[in-house]
């Protein structure tokens, strides 16, 4: 199942691209709904192309399984004048969580899109509903962070 959520961010695409590559941004914008806990050491300062294993906690408290975050920087598929970061992930009942983060210039700012293909057997519909809510939450949190000029990140 394909889910796509998109927002206009009032920042230059270069800044959006720099930020989307940061695990710190992921931690901030996913919270408090989900928290990611690296299984070995800490996440890097900038995502590197490889797999990372993380424990997931709902509201920072309730363990909800593990996730493989499979970072890739595809050579193709970026919007014109933009960038793409891929998390080819999976975990638990979710056999496929293929997430593209697309960054494109738009009206002096950035069009940011989360596009994810999900496969989770009998619970695909539930996983997709959660993904739609989760990506709206993330984009709202990112916009709030931008509005505060990245204070308290």
């Amino acid at each position: 199942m394909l889910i796509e959520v998109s927002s206009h961010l009032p920042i230059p695409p270069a800044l959006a691209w720099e930020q989307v590559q940061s695990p710190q941004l992921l931690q901030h914008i996913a919270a408090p709904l989900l928290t990611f806990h690296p299984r070995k050491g800490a996440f890097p300062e900038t995502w590197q192309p490889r797999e990372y294993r993380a424990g997931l906690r709902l509201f920072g408290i309730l363990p909800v399984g593990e996730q493989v975050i499979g970072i890739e920087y595809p050579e193709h598929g970026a919007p014109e004048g933009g960038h793409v970061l891929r998390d080819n992930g999976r975990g638990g009942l979710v056999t496929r969580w293929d997430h593209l983060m697309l960054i494109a210039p738009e009206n002096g700012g950035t069009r940011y899109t989360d596009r994810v293909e999900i496969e989770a057997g009998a619970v695909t519909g539930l996983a997709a509903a959660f993904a739609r809510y989760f990506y709206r939450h993330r984009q709202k949190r990112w916009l709030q962070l931008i509005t505060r000029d990245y204070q308290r990140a």
Side-chain angles (χ1 to χ4, degrees):
M1 184 171 287
L2 178 66
I3 302 298
E4 185 170 302
V5 179
S6 187
S7 296
H8 176 82
L9 302 177
I11 57 175
L15 178 57
W17 177 237
E18 175 186 315
Q19 291 295 304
V20 83
Q21 295 177 78
S22 167
Q24 183 180 3
L25 180 74
L26 168 66
Q27 295 286 36
H28 181 83
I29 65 177
L33 186 59
L34 271 184
T35 56
F36 295 80
H37 302 272
R39 290 298 190 214
K40 290 184 179 180
F43 289 135
E45 190 171 313
T46 301
W47 290 120
Q48 301 302 310
R50 70 178 192 88
E51 289 190 347
Y52 301 87
R53 295 191 179 277
L56 298 177
R57 291 190 185 167
L58 193 60
F59 304 113
I61 301 168
L62 182 64
V64 290
E66 289 201 7
Q67 175 79 16
V68 172
I69 301 170
I71 298 296
E72 300 174 12
Y73 290 92
E75 293 181 22
H76 305 288
E80 186 175 330
H83 304 278
V84 62
L85 175 63
R86 181 181 187 199
D87 169 13
N88 191 11
R90 64 198 175 281
L93 296 174
V94 179
T95 56
R96 182 175 187 206
W97 190 277
D98 192 356
H99 176 207
L100 298 178
M101 290 153 269
L102 304 160
I103 303 220
E106 179 185 73
N107 299 328
T110 299
R111 171 57 49 181
Y112 174 76
T113 303
D114 287 301
R115 181 181 300 149
V116 63
E117 289 189 54
I118 300 169
E119 292 177 13
V123 297
T124 298
L126 184 61
F130 175 79
R132 185 174 286 112
Y133 179 80
F134 178 61
Y135 290 123
R136 285 181 183 149
H137 166 81
R138 281 175 32 135
Q139 290 181 23
K140 179 181 175 185
R141 293 266 300 164
W142 195 1
L143 190 54
Q144 289 169 344
L145 185 62
I146 292 166
T147 301
R148 291 193 318 260
D149 197 27
Y150 289 93
Q151 303 298 316
R152 293 178 274 148

